[in-house]
Amino acid sequence: MQNVKSGKNQYMSFWMLVALVSGNMVGSGIFLLPSGLAKFGSISILAWIFTAIGSVLLALVFCSFSRLVPKVDGGPYTYVRVGMGNFLGFQSGFGYWVSLWVGNCAISLAMVGYLSFFFPILSDKLMTAITAIGIIWIITFFNMFGARTVGWLQLLSMIGKTIPLLFIIFSGVWYIHPEYYLEFNRTDSSSLSALSAAASLTLWAFIGLESAAVTASKVKNPQKTIPLATLTGTLIAAFIYIASSTVIMGMVPAAELANSNAPFALAATEIIGQAGGVFIAIAAVIACLGTLNGWIMVTAVVSKSIAQTNLFPKIFAKENRYGAPSFSLILSGVLMTILLLLTMSKALVEQFELIILMAVLTALVPYFYTTISNILVIKQQDKNSPFWQMSIIVAVLACAYSFWTILGSGQEVVYYGMILFFLGTPIYAIAEWVNLQRKGQ
C-alpha cells in the first residue's frame, strides 16, 4: 500500500515539467559556454541560432513520439526500440545513458567554476575534482526522495537563475561595445568549419529537450502535457541562450572571455560592480544545482527503463519507497566520480569542453536514430492523421540536422565517442544471451 501511495504522490505538474525541460537546458551551458565559444568569434551567435532551430525540430519529433507512444519512460531508448527493434533501441539507450552521466560531470565542473568566484582555492585541479565529486553525491542523495521532490527543486532553481539572466539581457544592452562583434571568425579554419564546431558546443546547451518524454510515467495526461511542456521549455531556453550570449559577447572582449571561468560574473561586475559579480555567481551556482538535480534523475530513469526490458540487469529497475531507482542513482554516481578523477589533469574550461563534446556526441546518435524511428512509426501508426506528411518532413529535417552536427564534432571526438558508444554492443549480446538462457529454462 505504501508503494501505491508514494507512486500517486510522485506525479509532476505541467510547470514542473517545463522547469525540468528548460532547467535541464539552462544550466552549465549558458553560464560557462561563452568562454568556450569565445575562440570562434561572433560567428558563435549564428551557431546559437542555427542550433535553436535544429533543437526545435528535434523537440517536435519528441512531441510526436510522446503522442504515439504515451505513458512509457525512456525517451530515445523507448522510441527507437518501438520503431527499429531491440538492438538499435539498446544502442540508443546505452549511448544516451552514457551521455547523461558524462554530461553531469560537466555540470558539476561548471558549478565549481562559479564557486571559485567565492573560494579561489577551488581553482586548484585537485580541489576542483574533489568539490565536483562531492556535489554529485549530495544531489544523488537528494534524488533518492523521488520525482516530485526533484520537480520542486527544479521550479525553485529555475526562478532563481532566470531572474539574473534576464537582468543581464536587458541591462547589458547598454554596455555593449559593437566593435567586439567585428571578430567574426577568430579561427584559422573556414567559416563553415567554425560554425559547425561552434554548433557542436552549443547543442550541449539544448540537450534536455527530451526530458519530459523520458519521465512520461510520472506525468498525468502525457499525450497533451508532454508536447506542450517540451515546446514551451525549449523556446524559453532558446530565447535566453541567444539573447544572453549576444549581449555578453558585446560586453566582454573575446580574449578575456576565453580565459574566464565565470563569464557572466564578469559581465555583471561591469554593470553594477563587485556586487553584480556575486549576484550572478550565486545564480549560476543555483542554475547548475537545479540542472544537475534534473539530469541525475533522468539518468537513473533511462537505465531503469532499459532494465525493465531485460537489457540491463534487473537491479537497475529496483525502486526505493519513494519510487526512486536507488541502484541506478548510486552506480551513475560512481561512474561520474571515476570520470572526474580521470580528466582532472586538464584546466577547468578545457576539461569542461572535452567532456561536453563527448556527451553531445553520445546523445546525438540516439537523437539521429530517434528521428529515423519517428518516420517509421508515423508511417505505421499515424497515416490517418491529416498532418502526417508534415510530421515526416519535420523528422527528416531533424535527422539531417543531427547528422550534420555529428560531422561537426571533429575527428578526435567522434573517434573516442564512438568507442564509448559501441562498448554497449557486447553488453547487449550478454543481456540477450542471458535472456535466451532464461527462456530455455
Side-chain angles (χ1 to χ4, degrees), residues 322-334:
Y322 299 103
S326 51
F327 176 81
S328 294
L329 286 166
I330 292 170
L331 179 64
S332 63
V334 171

Side-chain angles (χ1 to χ4, degrees), residues 61-385:
V61 169
F62 281 98
C63 289
S64 170
F65 255 133
S66 65
R67 180 174 55 84
L68 294 169
V69 188
K71 301 182 181 179
V72 183
D73 288 342
Y77 164 66
T78 300
Y79 298 156
V80 175
R81 188 170 60 86
V82 168
M84 301 172 71
N86 280 349
F87 175 63
L88 289 180
F90 174 81
Q91 213 176 48
S92 295
F94 179 79
Y96 183 61
W97 177 65
V98 168
S99 80
L100 296 181
W101 59 260
V102 168
N104 287 342
C105 293
I107 297 169
S108 65
L109 286 171
M111 185 171 173
V112 174
Y114 274 90
L115 284 172
S116 68
F117 186 82
F118 304 103
F119 310 103
I121 192 175
L122 296 182
S123 297
D124 176 77
K125 293 175 183 178
L126 179 60
M127 289 302 299
T128 293
I130 291 172
T131 307
I133 290 167
I135 290 167
I136 282 170
W137 282 106
I138 291 170
I139 301 300
T140 296
F141 174 77
F142 186 83
N143 265 258
M144 292 289 185
F145 293 97
R148 193 163 179 86
T149 304
V150 172
W152 277 113
L153 182 57
Q154 288 301 100
L155 275 175
L156 295 174
S157 66
M158 191 62 198
I159 294 170
K161 63 190 172 187
T162 300
I163 292 174
L165 286 171
L166 292 177
F167 169 78
I168 289 290
I169 290 169
F170 292 108
S171 300
V173 170
W174 306 104
Y175 294 83
I176 286 177
H177 302 273
E179 63 272 18
Y180 292 168
Y181 296 122
L182 296 179
E183 289 187 282
F184 183 70
N185 180 5
R186 300 182 71 231
T187 70
D188 295 328
S189 56
S190 67
S191 293
L192 181 60
S193 297
L195 179 65
S196 299
S200 296
L201 284 174
T202 55
L203 182 60
W204 155 254
F206 281 93
I207 290 178
L209 55 89
E210 74 286 348
S211 298
V214 172
T215 57
S217 68
K218 303 297 184 183
V219 182
K220 290 182 179 179
N221 193 15
Q223 293 97 325
K224 291 184 178 179
T225 306
I226 290 176
L228 186 58
T230 298
L231 277 178
T232 302
T234 303
L235 291 173
I236 288 172
F239 168 75
I240 291 175
Y241 288 154
I242 295 170
S244 61
S245 295
T246 301
V247 169
I248 197 170
M249 289 193 72
M251 291 181 64
V252 183
E256 185 179 351
L257 200 57
N259 294 315
S260 173
N261 284 346
F264 274 82
L266 283 177
T269 300
E270 185 174 341
I271 297 173
I272 54 176
Q274 188 63 29
V278 173
F279 179 52
I280 289 297
I282 291 173
V285 170
I286 293 172
C288 294
L289 187 69
T291 303
L292 189 61
N293 172 60
W295 274 124
I296 285 179
M297 181 190 76
V298 171
T299 304
V301 169
V302 169
S303 55
K304 182 192 78 171
S305 300
I306 299 173
Q308 287 174 334
T309 54
N310 299 317
L311 294 177
F312 266 5
K314 281 293 186 183
I315 192 170
F316 279 85
K318 187 176 180 180
E319 296 182 341
N320 63 17
R321 64 193 178 108
Y322 299 103
S326 51
F327 176 81
S328 294
L329 286 166
I330 292 170
L331 179 64
S332 63
V334 171
L335 293 170
M336 287 183 277
T337 299
I338 293 171
L339 181 60
L340 283 168
L341 291 174
L342 289 175
T343 60
M344 69 182 229
S345 61
K346 294 181 178 292
L348 187 141
V349 171
E350 186 182 356
Q351 185 184 15
F352 174 82
E353 185 174 327
L354 174 64
I355 288 176
I356 66 171
L357 283 172
M358 291 177 63
V360 165
L361 183 71
T362 48
L364 271 173
V365 176
Y367 282 0
F368 177 68
Y369 284 166
T370 300
T371 58
I372 297 173
S373 183
N374 188 233
I375 295 169
L376 297 175
V377 174
I378 290 171
K379 192 74 173 175
Q380 293 167 5
Q381 299 184 19
D382 209 33
K383 286 186 67 175
N384 292 328
S385 169

